[in-house]
Amino acid sequence: MDASASPAAAAPDQPPVPGPGLPAPAPVSRLRRLATPLGVMAAVVGAFGYVATVDPNEPGHYPVCPMLRFTGLFCPGCGGLRSAHAFAHGDLAAALGSNALAVVGYGVFAAVWLLWAVRASRGKPLRIGLAPGYWWGVGAVLLVFSVVRNLPFGSALAP
């Protein structure tokens, strides 16, 4: 049997498993573990900062929603930029009026990000295992929100 057919030669990209005579891998620093969550938060803060400075209420700064343009119907995201602009300026009432579901999404993002950052600082992965029923529920909420905000009695949810 030649050396190229051995299992060790088949996977050269895998690090050796620590055992007798091999040192354990060096622990990863807390800052390195937090790099990805902090990078994601920096991107979100940057996006909110941009939307806070470039007002979506003035025409011509952002593209029009394709669903609104071609059908005249509000999608679940319509008003999201105006909501983010108002939220960034601390106007919660205007943010809720533009897109209440987006404001709920900001809170959900904050909670999940906080959980992610805490788990990353402790060296544990973020594992949120939701059953398919929860995802169907999220889809149903988005669908109901979209339908209701386009009906006359749901005009308070329209942007």
Side-chain angles (χ1 to χ4, degrees):
M1 176 178 235
D2 64 21
S4 65
S6 70
D13 59 338
Q14 294 181 357
V17 178
L22 290 176
V28 179
S29 72
R30 182 174 294 197
L31 182 62
R32 186 164 183 167
R33 290 191 306 256
L34 285 171
T36 303
L38 290 174
V40 168
M41 183 54 78
V44 169
V45 167
F48 264 82
Y50 180 79
V51 172
T53 57
V54 181
D55 191 357
N57 294 305
E58 295 178 17
H61 291 194
Y62 298 97
V64 177
C65 172
M67 185 169 173
L68 181 61
R69 173 176 276 169
F70 296 124
T71 67
L73 298 173
F74 298 118
C75 75
C78 281
L81 286 173
R82 289 183 294 250
S83 173
H85 179 78
F87 191 81
H89 286 274
D91 190 356
L92 188 58
L96 286 167
S98 293
N99 191 326
L101 201 57
V103 176
V104 171
Y106 307 151
V108 169
F109 171 79
V112 170
W113 183 88
L114 186 63
L115 176 66
W116 184 20
V118 167
R119 291 190 60 83
S121 73
R122 294 180 180 168
K124 297 181 180 181
L126 175 66
R127 297 203 197 282
I128 301 176
L130 295 178
Y134 288 106
W135 294 112
W136 282 102
V138 168
V141 166
L142 290 171
L143 180 65
V144 168
F145 180 71
S146 297
V147 169
V148 170
R149 74 190 314 208
N150 285 290
L151 296 174
F153 67 86
S155 61
L157 294 175

